[in-house]
Amino acid sequence: MTNTRNYVILIMLLSAILLVTPTIIRLINNNAFVINSESYNNIRVYNQGNINYDALQGRSIQLNILNLIPLNSTGQMIMFRILPILLGIITVLLAYLVLKKQNVSEKTIIAILGLMIVSPIYSYIFTDYKIYSVIIVLNILGLYFLLDNKTLYSSILFSIIPFIDIFSGIITLVFMIIYMFSSQKHHASYRITSIAVLSGIILSIVINTYYGYNIWRIFQFTAQNIITDIGADIGLSFSILILAVIGLVILWENGWKNLLTYALLILITALAFFNTTIRVYINFILVVYAGFAFIYLNRRKWSITIIKKTTILLIICSILFSTLVYTTRMVRSEPLPTYVDALEFVKKQSLPTENIIGYPKYGYIIEYYADRRVLVDDTTYQHDKSRVEAFENITSSRNLERTESLLQKYNIKYLIIDKDFNSYLKEREGLLFLIENSRKFDRIYYNSDVEVWMYNS
């Protein structure tokens, strides 16, 4: 027991190191800016002080009770930069307590926790401020209290989730029901907790509808790359995914009896290809099965020992390589200081009513530092398909009259062209052609990483 606790403490320390490493390396490279684009949207929305409307982008937003927490500048720094890392460490401890209550063997617990902290989604969630960092902790802590028959605490924790994100609340309820039936635990505490979550979802839907938010926007399913090893921004490790499949096979006890549970789990995993929230949830389930598979492969008898050792070594190296690749990507991700300099130039140069077109992936960053509306960011795909169509037409059309009419319609004055957006525009073969040949665009700023063009109407 003492050795297990020491290993858990070690894993918690390693998790802290993994989570702070990208930020430390960026600081060494004179880049003190928050890493991921989504964090900028969360911080900007919090600072605007409006819980149901995004004034900059002109759209309704979902109620998030985290935005109601009053914080001064020091409190914001703690919440946005330090708290996520602390929540990541706490997640390790809570996961250990939950697995221990489930009578999982100590070696398997260590394997599961180790795989969890090196999974790319773990780094994505807890490196900086994401609502998922709070949601995951609420889920695991709620599950711990549920297993400990503390119904009131678990009900409160689970029912908070829909008031942060409704879809996350729905996914929590789905997994709770699956767990309840797969473990044959139908007693009152589980039913009460399920009812509490359902009530929270319904109440959150009512409140959001009252404030004018279109609830159907929470259901966003688009085909996405989900494997980090081949470039996914929010993805799964291929090696952990393979181990999880092996774990599902070796844990096939009373398989036909649990056929419905396994079928639902496979279906939800398939849906993870189309939805980020589901992918975040399923990652923490897959690492459990992957942990069982890793211990199984390590314990089983192999006819040739050298093959066993080589296989285990290859698995470990593959997982660590995936972690290294993802960490390197975070270190090199926007915004770089040169990118922020360009955006701050636009903020000084432009009028508040003048809008920007840039690479949608960096839309949140542009909004945060330039304090100007962008034509398309990651949320636009949920709210305004016409703006997405306009973006497609502007970037692909060589018809100057058509492009100008769209630029004027959306009052677009500035174009932020970074390396990624430049590559995208070269594939579209439209806007770049007009920039080079129409004399309607002037380059007013450039550095090694980004150019700013101004449209002259």
Side-chain angles (χ1 to χ4, degrees):
M1 180 64 70
T2 301
N3 287 337
T4 302
R5 289 179 178 175
N6 290 338
Y7 277 120
V8 172
I9 293 171
L10 176 61
I11 292 173
M12 292 170 68
L13 291 173
L14 288 175
S15 70
I17 293 171
L18 288 171
L19 293 175
V20 301
T21 294
T23 300
I24 290 175
I25 295 176
R26 286 168 72 93
L27 287 171
I28 292 172
N29 294 329
N30 297 315
N31 185 355
F33 302 109
V34 175
I35 296 172
N36 292 305
S37 182
E38 182 188 339
S39 300
Y40 287 98
N41 185 58
N42 294 334
I43 297 170
R44 182 182 64 80
V45 168
Y46 174 86
N47 285 327
Q48 74 174 4
N50 195 322
I51 63 171
N52 65 296
Y53 187 75
D54 184 347
L56 181 65
Q57 286 298 108
R59 61 195 177 204
S60 60
I61 56 177
Q62 189 179 163
L63 171 69
N64 176 1
I65 60 172
L66 298 178
N67 292 334
L68 299 176
I69 302 172
L71 296 171
N72 57 23
S73 58
T74 302
Q76 289 188 37
M77 184 195 71
I78 293 172
M79 181 173 180
F80 300 144
R81 301 298 292 266
I82 300 175
L83 180 61
I85 295 172
L86 294 177
L87 292 176
I89 298 170
I90 291 170
T91 296
V92 175
L93 177 60
L94 292 175
Y96 164 71
L97 296 174
V98 168
L99 292 169
K100 186 179 176 183
K101 275 193 170 295
Q102 293 291 82
N103 296 318
V104 178
S105 70
E106 294 182 355
K107 289 186 177 180
T108 304
I109 290 176
I110 298 304
I112 292 170
L113 297 180
L115 290 171
M116 182 180 72
I117 68 168
V118 298
S119 65
I121 282 182
Y122 179 87
S123 296
Y124 165 77
I125 293 173
F126 296 112
T127 298
D128 49 30
Y129 179 56
K130 311 284 195 314
I131 62 171
Y132 294 122
S133 61
V134 178
I135 288 171
I136 291 300
V137 169
L138 287 174
N139 272 288
I140 300 178
L141 183 57
L143 178 58
Y144 173 77
F145 283 129
L146 186 62
L147 294 173
D148 203 33
N149 294 319
K150 295 180 179 177
T151 308
L152 177 61
Y153 295 153
S154 65
S155 298
I156 292 172
L157 291 169
F158 281 130
S159 60
I160 289 173
I161 295 171
F163 295 97
I164 300 175
D165 179 62
I166 297 173
F167 190 71
S168 295
I170 293 172
I171 300 302
T172 294
L173 180 61
V174 169
F175 278 117
M176 187 180 299
I177 293 172
I178 291 174
Y179 175 78
M180 185 169 63
F181 282 96
S182 65
S183 60
Q184 305 299 317
K185 294 182 178 180
H186 301 164
H187 47 75
S189 61
Y190 286 78
R191 293 195 296 270
I192 292 171
T193 305
S194 299
I195 293 171
V197 179
L198 179 60
S199 300
I201 293 169
I202 293 172
L203 182 57
S204 182
I205 289 174
V206 170
I207 294 173
N208 278 278
T209 303
Y210 174 79
Y211 281 112
Y213 184 78
N214 184 355
I215 295 301
W216 295 108
R217 290 173 182 161
I218 69 174
F219 300 102
Q220 295 296 320
F221 292 89
T222 55
Q224 303 166 15
N225 176 12
I226 72 161
I227 305 299
T228 304
D229 309 61
I230 55 176
D233 291 322
I234 310 170
L236 307 170
S237 164
F238 181 74
S239 300
I240 291 177
L241 187 60
I242 295 301
L243 277 175
V245 173
I246 297 172
L248 280 167
V249 173
I250 64 176
L251 291 175
W252 186 263
E253 297 178 2
N254 300 317
W256 295 109
K257 184 178 179 181
N258 294 322
L259 180 60
L260 179 60
T261 300
Y262 274 57
L264 288 172
L265 187 59
I266 292 170
L267 174 61
I268 294 172
T269 303
L271 290 175
F273 281 82
F274 304 92
N275 184 275
T276 300
T277 302
I278 295 175
R279 194 151 60 248
V280 168
Y281 272 76
I282 205 69
N283 175 77
F284 289 88
I285 295 174
L286 292 180
V287 294
V288 173
Y289 286 99
F292 277 100
F294 184 84
I295 295 300
Y296 170 79
L297 293 174
N298 192 46
R299 283 179 174 175
R300 77 185 298 268
K301 293 182 179 180
W302 295 64
S303 56
I304 304 177
T305 305
I306 189 65
I307 294 179
K308 172 185 176 180
K309 292 181 178 179
T310 303
T311 301
I312 299 298
L313 181 62
L314 285 174
I315 291 172
I316 294 173
C317 289
S318 177
I319 293 171
L320 293 178
F321 175 76
S322 178
T323 305
L324 178 63
V325 168
Y326 191 73
T327 302
T328 303
R329 193 183 306 161
M330 287 195 293
V331 169
R332 296 177 178 175
S333 67
E334 298 290 356
L336 301 175
T338 49
Y339 196 91
V340 175
D341 286 344
L343 298 180
E344 290 179 341
F345 170 82
V346 173
K347 183 177 182 179
K348 295 176 182 178
Q349 169 80 16
S350 62
L351 298 174
T353 56
E354 294 174 333
N355 299 331
I356 297 172
I357 187 171
Y359 197 39
K361 179 179 177 180
Y362 303 136
Y364 294 150
I365 299 175
I366 296 171
E367 292 160 4
Y368 183 84
Y369 285 108
D371 195 27
R372 298 293 181 267
R373 181 179 295 188
V374 300
L375 180 62
V376 174
D377 61 19
D378 284 340
T379 306
T380 309
Y381 294 93
Q382 305 173 23
H383 287 258
D384 195 341
K385 299 297 183 183
S386 64
R387 296 177 74 89
V388 176
E389 292 175 3
F391 176 83
E392 295 293 333
N393 289 327
I394 290 171
T395 55
S396 62
S397 176
R398 291 192 174 193
N399 185 313
L400 179 60
E401 183 178 349
R402 181 185 183 188
T403 300
E404 280 197 288
S405 67
L406 290 170
L407 292 174
Q408 292 168 11
K409 177 181 178 180
Y410 292 99
N411 199 27
I412 295 170
K413 190 71 174 179
Y414 298 92
L415 291 72
I416 310 293
I417 303 180
D418 55 78
K419 293 178 180 179
D420 290 334
F421 196 28
N422 187 61
S423 299
Y424 176 85
L425 292 176
K426 285 180 179 178
E427 294 177 0
R428 308 295 292 179
E429 299 181 343
L431 184 59
L432 281 183
F433 175 82
L434 296 179
I435 289 174
E436 294 169 359
N437 297 284
S438 69
R439 297 184 180 180
K440 284 286 186 176
F441 302 89
D442 295 323
R443 190 174 71 173
I444 59 174
Y445 178 96
Y446 72 94
N447 58 43
S448 58
D449 295 306
V450 63
E451 298 178 350
V452 178
W453 293 77
M454 184 171 69
Y455 165 60
N456 297 312
S457 56

